Amino acid sequence: MRWLVAASSLLVSSVVVAQTDRVAASPSSENASITIALIGDSTVEDYSGWGVAFRKRFGDQAEVLNFAKGGASSKSWYDGNRMPPVLDANPDYVLIQFGHNDQPGKGPKRETDPATTYRDQLKRYVAEVKSIGAIPIIVSSVTRRRFDENDQIRTTLGPWAAAAQEVATDLDVPFVDLHKRSIELHNKIGPEASMEFNFKEGDLTHFNEKGGEAMADLVIDELQSAVPSLTKYLKTSSSHTDKQ
């Protein structure tokens, strides 16, 4: 009987130590460093998205790891067994943005339905992120830079953006409405200025450095309200978009 008690005490002690270690590294600690992971498609990745600019907004106490994959949807990214490396990195926050490649025309390996399967995928990400004690943050898809005859953005991503917001509300997790904010920005600056964000001529989806900076600023601005605890890790509160 004594050995059972001793074993139980050892197990409890191990759990307490593990939890204490996690708390010690918690963002709530005054001098703690944090890790932020990015999950998404090409509009998030370093090569053609806002990932690099986002990373540059943070100081030395924040490490940003970008796990985004060009051409990925919420379904294909997960099916590619890309979640284990994210969980192994033990991040404190995980930003999740999908939608572009979930749309019709992308094939059955990528397409999702905003009313059903897209929501299911987002819920899966949230559950797995929470399972390691991290904070999931759902981000709606950045808009494509397609304008109508009145020089206003014409988007087809609305259903996926709405679904993302509803999932965030239902699961009570932070939400960044990048879809809405990016539409507002492009409608404000107009087609000519918006084309200066193009990754290459005629590319209305991906970003050059200037476009990536503008989108990262929108994300950061939203995060300061959605996740105020991240604000102290920023290098500066100044915004590129305020200068438009």
Side-chain angles (χ1 to χ4, degrees):
M1 180 64 70
R2 290 181 178 177
W3 71 268
L4 285 174
V5 173
S8 297
S9 299
L10 180 60
L11 177 61
V12 170
S13 297
S14 299
V15 171
V16 170
V17 169
Q19 290 178 338
T20 301
D21 288 345
R22 181 69 181 182
V23 170
S26 168
S28 62
S29 302
E30 187 65 28
N31 297 316
S33 59
I34 61 167
T35 299
I36 304 170
L38 305 180
I39 295 175
D41 53 35
S42 57
T43 64
V44 181
E45 70 175 355
D46 289 347
Y47 180 64
S48 58
W50 49 263
V52 168
F54 180 85
R55 182 184 298 115
K56 290 179 179 179
R57 298 295 187 271
F58 289 89
D60 294 338
Q61 286 185 293
E63 180 181 22
V64 178
L65 304 176
N66 198 340
F67 296 91
K69 170 67 175 176
S73 71
S74 63
K75 181 179 185 300
S76 67
W77 190 96
Y78 190 91
D79 290 346
N81 199 35
R82 297 183 179 279
M83 198 64 178
V86 177
L87 302 180
D88 289 344
N90 199 31
D92 299 285
Y93 302 89
V94 181
L95 277 67
I96 307 159
Q97 183 202 295
F98 290 104
H100 281 258
N101 299 303
D102 287 71
Q103 292 192 290
K106 299 296 183 178
K109 292 185 178 181
R110 293 193 287 177
E111 294 172 12
T112 62
D113 175 12
T116 56
T117 50
Y118 178 65
R119 295 168 187 255
D120 292 340
Q121 288 296 133
L122 292 182
K123 292 176 181 178
R124 173 184 284 179
Y125 286 110
V126 168
E128 295 202 15
V129 169
K130 284 186 173 182
S131 74
I132 61 168
I135 298 174
I137 303 167
I138 295 178
V139 183
S140 60
S141 293
V142 63
T143 188
R144 296 183 180 93
R145 297 177 295 283
R146 293 176 178 167
F147 289 83
D148 62 19
E149 63 277 7
N150 297 313
D151 290 341
Q152 298 291 290
I153 287 290
R154 174 173 52 86
T155 182
T156 58
L157 287 161
W160 284 265
Q165 183 169 17
E166 289 166 9
V167 169
T169 299
D170 291 345
L171 299 182
D172 193 25
V173 299
F175 176 67
V176 170
D177 200 347
L178 184 56
H179 186 251
K180 177 183 177 181
R181 290 297 302 275
S182 58
I183 289 175
E184 290 175 345
L185 174 62
H186 291 301
N187 283 344
K188 177 182 178 181
I189 66 177
E192 184 175 350
S194 292
M195 294 309 110
E196 294 179 4
F197 292 172
N198 291 359
F199 180 68
K200 58 184 178 181
E201 186 175 357
D203 185 340
L204 305 180
T205 300
H206 306 103
F207 305 109
N208 56 21
E209 183 177 357
K210 182 176 182 179
E213 289 176 351
M215 294 307 108
D217 278 332
L218 295 179
V219 175
I220 293 296
D221 188 54
E222 287 276 297
L223 281 177
Q224 291 184 76
S225 298
V227 192
S229 57
L230 282 174
T231 302
K232 65 181 180 180
Y233 297 98
L234 296 171
K235 285 182 177 178
T236 174
S237 61
S238 64
S239 173
H240 174 82
T241 55
D242 290 338
K243 302 173 185 177
Q244 296 292 338

